[in-house]
Amino acid sequence: MVKILLVDDDVDLTSMLSQYLVREGFDVTTVRDGETGVMEAISRDYALVVLDIMMPRLSGIEALRRIRATSPVPILMLTARGDDIDRIVGLDLGADDYVPKPCTPGELVARIRAILRRTEGRGSSGMAAAQRMVQVGELTLWPGNRQATWRGASLELTGTEFSLLEVLARHSGQLVSKQDISQQAFDRPLARFDRRIDVHISSIRQKLGTRPDGQSWIQSVRGLGYQLLED
C-alpha cells in the first residue's frame, strides 16, 4: 500500500481525510503538529506528505524547510484559501503542489495521485516513453528515476521542478504556453492567477545559471509561456 503522512492539527478534517484515503487504498499516518510531522517524515519511508501551513509548535512552512533539508519526499501543502504569500513561499521551498482549504477528499486524492504519477515517472504516454533519457545540450534528464545532470554535474530538483523542466526539454527551442505546461506537468488546466509555474521556473533558472551572453537558459514571453534554449 502507498504510505501517506497527513500533518494537520484539525482533528475533524484529518479524521475525514484519512478515512477517505484509506478507502481509496492508501496507508495513512496522521500527526497533529509540525515538529512531530518533520520527525515522522524524515525517519520513515513515505510516498508523499500532506502538510498544513498553520499548525502549533512549528509552522508548515518551517516544517517543509526542515524536511526538504534531508528528504526529497513529495510534499502537498494545505493552504488557507487566498493565502498567496505562504503558498508561493511554500512552492519556492520545494513543495510539489498545494490544495486550498477547505478541500474535498476527492480533490485531495486527485492531487495526490497526480503527484505520485509524476514522481514515479509514469504518464499518459506510458512507462517506456517516460523512461527514455531526454537530452538538450548539456542538460540530461532521466524521467524513470527523476535524475538530472547539468554540465556533467548532478542537478538537484524538486519533483515539481523536474516535471516542469522535462516538459520544456521535450519541447526545447519551442515556446510552450503556461496552459500546456500545467496540463503536461500537473495533469490539470492552469487556474486563474495561479503563479506556481512562474515560481518554480524562477528556481530552475537560478539552478541552471546564465548563458555566456548573460541571459537565462529559460526565456519567457509575457502572457504566453516559456522556452528552453537549446544552446
Side-chain angles (χ1 to χ4, degrees):
M1 296 178 70
V2 177
K3 296 175 63 176
I4 302 293
L5 175 62
L6 178 56
V7 188
D8 195 322
D9 64 322
D10 187 327
V11 177
D12 292 336
L13 179 64
T14 54
S15 176
M16 177 186 68
L17 293 179
S18 62
Q19 289 178 32
Y20 191 90
L21 287 166
V22 169
R23 287 200 299 269
E24 290 294 312
F26 295 99
D27 179 3
V28 183
T29 299
T30 62
V31 298
R32 297 198 172 103
D33 68 87
E35 196 168 285
T36 306
V38 172
M39 293 169 49
E40 184 73 17
I42 64 178
S43 64
R44 302 202 182 184
D45 186 22
Y46 288 99
L48 183 140
V49 176
V50 179
L51 182 62
D52 186 32
I53 283 184
M54 298 298 294
M55 288 185 296
R57 299 180 63 183
L58 194 72
S59 73
I61 292 296
E62 182 56 30
L64 169 64
R65 191 192 309 274
R66 295 187 187 184
I67 295 171
R68 271 291 167 264
T70 60
S71 172
V73 61
I75 297 176
L76 175 65
M77 303 294 291
L78 296 178
T79 73
R81 190 173 296 277
D83 196 357
D84 291 330
I85 295 176
D86 280 343
R87 183 183 306 163
I88 291 169
V89 169
L91 291 172
D92 195 38
L93 289 174
D96 292 272
D97 204 350
Y98 67 87
V99 175
K101 295 169 67 175
C103 64
T104 65
E107 179 183 11
L108 182 66
V109 168
R111 298 289 183 90
I112 287 173
R113 285 181 170 153
I115 293 173
L116 293 176
R117 282 196 299 272
R118 298 199 303 266
T119 56
E120 290 170 1
R122 294 198 300 266
S124 59
S125 56
M127 179 65 77
Q131 294 282 359
R132 287 199 290 268
M133 181 183 73
V134 180
Q135 186 159 14
V136 179
E138 295 184 89
L139 173 69
T140 305
L141 304 174
W142 287 271
N145 58 13
R146 313 292 285 179
Q147 298 297 310
T149 60
W150 172 240
R151 294 175 173 169
S154 177
L155 180 62
E156 298 300 324
L157 300 168
T158 67
T160 296
E161 289 170 357
F162 188 98
S163 295
L164 288 173
L165 189 54
E166 181 185 354
V167 171
L168 294 179
R170 291 187 183 280
H171 300 84
S172 61
Q174 304 173 38
L175 179 67
V176 187
S177 72
K178 289 203 288 186
Q179 189 65 249
D180 286 343
I181 293 173
S182 181
Q183 195 67 59
Q184 294 179 44
F186 303 133
D187 295 326
R188 69 172 187 266
L190 182 69
R192 190 179 183 188
F193 304 125
D194 189 340
R195 288 192 54 204
R196 64 199 170 123
I197 289 178
D198 305 302
V199 172
H200 286 301
I201 291 293
S202 176
S203 177
I204 297 171
R205 280 172 164 165
Q206 292 179 20
K207 294 178 180 182
L208 295 179
T210 57
R211 291 159 45 87
D213 60 7
Q215 295 187 58
S216 171
W217 286 97
I218 300 178
Q219 298 289 302
S220 61
V221 178
R222 187 175 179 83
L224 294 179
Y226 290 98
Q227 173 186 3
L228 177 66
L229 300 181
E230 297 178 316
D231 52 35

